[in-house]
Amino acid sequence: GPEPAEVWMEIYNDGTSAGSLSGMHVADAGGPTALPDASIAPGAFALVVPDTFVADDGYDVPVPEDCPLLRVPKLGTSGLMPLQ
């Protein structure tokens, strides 16, 4: 869409224990981006967003207060794929 700073990727932990993102990356044609060293509780969500993301931009529904925003320097725009 017209607001590329508002791109985001949702991560959900459907496991029974906390999941670490340490050492994980996402990538697209522009190359990989390391995910922050964060832990996601079982049954919890997190949003991976670019540093320029504005949570209350007026375009999208507000991000729930209990949903962590994991900021990265860039988030792909050419189709994301998870890498380990």
Side-chain angles (χ1 to χ4, degrees):
E3 56 284 329
E6 303 312 302
V7 170
W8 52 269
M9 179 180 73
E10 182 178 73
I11 296 177
Y12 174 69
N13 180 355
D14 67 351
T16 57
S17 61
S20 173
L21 299 179
S22 179
M24 300 202 65
H25 296 75
V26 292
D28 71 356
T33 297
L35 294 175
D37 185 9
S39 181
I40 301 175
F45 290 87
L47 293 182
V48 179
V49 299
D51 285 337
T52 56
F53 181 83
V54 177
D56 58 355
D57 68 350
Y59 290 107
D60 296 310
V61 296
V63 177
E65 288 185 25
D66 63 342
C67 183
L69 293 179
L70 307 176
R71 295 187 181 271
V72 294
K74 65 180 180 110
L75 192 58
T77 58
S78 299
L80 293 171
M81 59 187 149
L83 297 177
Q84 256 187 330

